[in-house]
């Protein structure tokens, strides 16, 4: 299975936003060595927004193209639908709930069988979670100090579409996320323009 293994902090500095969620990622972003002097073309801006989507959700190009094709067939704004669909992926929700401190860790947790959806173990990170589904840690994984520390720490801002239950190490997707509720700094329209060429 192919995964993204490039340097995360360097990618954050290049894109200009903290896509990996680590508080230290943008520490050196203001240094003179990283200041951009060249004017970016329209295509360059579209490419940058597309790269942000890939970085935020830990996707490869082929996966993102497939997700865009599904969003383009749906009714409504293609860009918003794409982001909402990506937000409902199992690996992303594991990260948003707080079981993992990065999207990479969340993806690994799912593939290693630490996560259950509605009481059933799931190992496919790209699985789309339906509204009303409960995501929880396996009984054995609840004893893991790292998972416990991630979940019980207060560094995650509460999201309106997720309902956490700290006593049972679980959370519920209570509603479909609205685009404005999703904490990603992406210009959806530029992503749509990039793939519409």
């Amino acid at each position: 299975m192919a995964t993204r293994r490039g340097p995360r902090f360097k990618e954050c500095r290049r894109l200009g936003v903290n896509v990996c969620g680590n508080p230290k990622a943008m520490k050196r972003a203001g240094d003179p060595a990283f200041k951009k002097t060249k004017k970016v073309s329209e295509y360059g801006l579209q490419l940058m927004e597309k790269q942000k989507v890939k970085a935020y959700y830990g996707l490869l190009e082929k996966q993102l193209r497939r997700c865009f094709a599904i969003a383009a067939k749906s009714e409504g704004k293609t860009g918003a639908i794409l982001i909402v669909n990506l937000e409902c992926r199992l690996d992303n929700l594991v990260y948003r709930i707080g079981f993992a401190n990065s999207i990479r860790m969340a993806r690994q947790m799912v593939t290693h069988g630490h996560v259950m959806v509605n009481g059933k173990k799931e190992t496919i990170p790209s699985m789309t979670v339906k509204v009303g589904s409960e995501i929880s840690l396996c009984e054995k994984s609840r004893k893991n100090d790292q998972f416990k520390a991630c979940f019980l720490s207060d560094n995650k801002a509460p999201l309106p579409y997720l309902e956490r239950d700290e006593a049972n190490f679980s959370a519920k997707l209570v509603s479909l996320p609205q685009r404005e509720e999703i904490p990603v700094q992406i210009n959806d329209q530029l992503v749509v323009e990039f793939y519409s060429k």
Side-chain angles (χ1 to χ4, degrees), residues 44-59:
L45 290 170
Q46 293 168 357
L47 180 65
M48 185 83 77
E49 293 304 312
K50 188 263 293 183
Q51 298 291 62
K52 281 185 197 175
V53 177
K54 284 170 64 178
Y56 267 120
Y57 294 101
L59 301 173

Side-chain angles (χ1 to χ4, degrees), residues 78-132:
T78 306
I81 292 166
L82 172 68
I83 303 298
V84 169
N85 289 351
L86 291 174
E87 194 66 19
C88 290
R89 280 168 57 103
L90 180 57
D91 57 351
N92 182 68
L93 287 175
V94 167
Y95 170 55
R96 294 278 186 242
I97 290 162
F99 290 141
N101 56 25
S102 71
I103 194 81
R104 288 182 182 184
M105 182 179 168
R107 192 177 178 85
Q108 191 175 44
M109 282 176 73
V110 175
T111 53
H112 288 194
H114 294 291
V115 178
M116 295 194 297
V117 178
N118 296 328
K120 187 185 169 195
K121 193 185 280 186
E122 295 291 348
T123 56
I124 301 166
S126 61
M127 170 192 166
T128 302
V129 178
K130 292 183 171 68
V131 174

Side-chain angles (χ1 to χ4, degrees), residues 41-189:
S41 67
E42 190 183 334
Y43 173 78
L45 290 170
Q46 293 168 357
L47 180 65
M48 185 83 77
E49 293 304 312
K50 188 263 293 183
Q51 298 291 62
K52 281 185 197 175
V53 177
K54 284 170 64 178
Y56 267 120
Y57 294 101
L59 301 173
L60 297 173
E61 185 62 36
K62 198 174 178 182
Q63 293 169 312
L64 183 55
R65 279 186 182 277
R66 199 181 305 128
C67 292
F68 182 82
I70 293 166
K73 289 174 187 172
S74 308
E75 282 184 32
K77 287 186 176 178
T78 306
I81 292 166
L82 172 68
I83 303 298
V84 169
N85 289 351
L86 291 174
E87 194 66 19
C88 290
R89 280 168 57 103
L90 180 57
D91 57 351
N92 182 68
L93 287 175
V94 167
Y95 170 55
R96 294 278 186 242
I97 290 162
F99 290 141
N101 56 25
S102 71
I103 194 81
R104 288 182 182 184
M105 182 179 168
R107 192 177 178 85
Q108 191 175 44
M109 282 176 73
V110 175
T111 53
H112 288 194
H114 294 291
V115 178
M116 295 194 297
V117 178
N118 296 328
K120 187 185 169 195
K121 193 185 280 186
E122 295 291 348
T123 56
I124 301 166
S126 61
M127 170 192 166
T128 302
V129 178
K130 292 183 171 68
V131 174
S133 297
E134 187 180 61
I135 302 165
S136 59
L137 279 179
C138 292
E139 199 68 46
K140 194 178 174 184
S141 307
R142 292 176 193 186
K143 294 167 189 165
N144 184 305
D145 292 336
Q146 191 178 9
F147 300 161
K148 214 188 283 185
C150 283
F151 186 60
L152 299 175
S153 65
D154 298 324
N155 59 349
K156 291 262 184 293
L159 296 166
Y161 49 91
L162 287 172
E163 201 175 81
R164 282 164 47 112
D165 179 1
E166 292 192 355
N168 296 313
F169 286 91
S170 65
K172 202 173 193 178
L173 182 65
V174 289
S175 64
L176 205 63
Q178 297 299 309
R179 176 62 189 96
E180 56 276 6
E181 296 170 345
I182 300 170
V184 293
Q185 297 172 38
I186 295 167
N187 186 332
D188 315 342
Q189 189 54 40

